[in-house]
Amino acid sequence: MSAESTTNAFQRGQVDLLDFIAWSGVECLNQKTTHSLANALKQGYREDEGLNLESDADEQLLIYIPFTQVIKLHSILINGPEDEGPKTVKLFANKEHMGFSNVNDFPPSDSIDLSEDNLKGKPVALKYVKFQSVRSLTIFIEDNQSGAELTKVQKMVLYGTTVETTDMKGLKKIEDH
């Protein structure tokens, strides 16, 4: 069973939000330049098991993903190796300009502990109510499964929906008069 069919059975109507990522604004702190975030996040790269996102100076990674439109985030899939795969992952909705120095100053919108099943492709459902109007997502990978110096992420997929903009309908009605 593919990850897509697992997710569809898991929650109908949720889509891979890849097409709604504003790539020019995406950032990843503490990534190895030769093993960057694109390896885990971009279509084509993330399907190649030989490509990983790897941490550089220590095990932590701080990822910032802006979206081209407001989304509702339902779940996240993070694949990684058994030992060096992420363990504690904190997610922050609409928090910009976070760094390692201030990431612990803010309460996360959600915090997840990834299991072996998650690292092999089982998505994690998030506190959906906390991710209803998301313009950007910050993902703080705090540690990994074994406490190793290096964290590896093989694949990362965000699942959710776009937010219908009722404001536009309202504007249209005004223009019609």
Side-chain angles (χ1 to χ4, degrees):
M1 189 183 247
S2 74
E4 301 243 322
S5 57
T6 306
T7 303
N8 290 343
F10 169 72
Q11 181 69 35
R12 299 226 173 268
Q14 305 301 328
V15 297
D16 179 345
L17 295 168
L18 187 74
D19 292 341
F20 305 104
I21 292 174
W23 291 104
S24 61
V26 171
E27 291 176 2
C28 183
L29 302 182
N30 195 38
Q31 67 182 346
K32 264 199 186 129
T33 50
T34 53
H35 297 279
S36 68
L37 179 61
N39 286 351
L41 200 56
K42 281 199 167 178
Q43 190 78 45
Y45 292 82
R46 66 184 187 188
E47 285 73 28
D48 183 335
E49 291 188 13
L51 296 176
N52 291 295
L53 160 62
E54 289 183 14
S55 63
D56 192 15
D58 61 19
E59 74 282 6
Q60 297 186 333
L61 288 159
L62 191 60
I63 301 163
Y64 174 73
I65 303 172
F67 297 98
T68 55
Q69 57 184 282
V70 179
I71 57 108
K72 292 181 182 188
L73 185 62
H74 177 273
S75 53
I76 186 168
L77 178 144
I78 299 176
N79 285 13
E82 204 174 300
D83 293 339
E84 300 150 318
K87 184 178 179 190
T88 309
V89 180
K90 294 179 178 174
L91 299 130
F92 302 85
N94 305 321
K95 282 268 182 254
E96 297 185 2
H97 311 298
M98 292 180 81
F100 290 109
S101 60
N102 70 354
V103 72
N104 289 314
D105 296 348
F106 303 99
S109 306
D110 203 354
S111 184
I112 53 178
D113 277 328
L114 296 175
S115 68
E116 202 175 309
D117 284 348
N118 297 136
L119 292 176
K120 289 179 179 169
K122 183 182 178 202
V124 180
L126 301 173
K127 291 177 186 162
Y128 196 45
V129 68
K130 299 272 190 176
F131 299 96
Q132 289 296 298
S133 186
V134 180
R135 291 176 306 285
S136 69
L137 180 69
T138 301
I139 302 168
F140 176 44
I141 297 175
E142 194 166 31
D143 55 18
N144 57 43
Q145 298 291 324
S146 63
E149 280 293 300
L150 179 75
T151 298
K152 289 184 180 180
V153 178
Q154 193 263 312
K155 182 177 185 177
M156 185 180 294
V157 186
L158 305 171
Y159 294 104
T161 56
T162 55
V163 174
E164 298 301 321
T165 50
T166 48
D167 300 355
M168 296 311 284
K169 292 175 189 163
L171 286 174
K172 245 182 184 151
K173 284 179 186 165
I174 293 167
E175 288 170 9
D176 290 343
H177 290 294

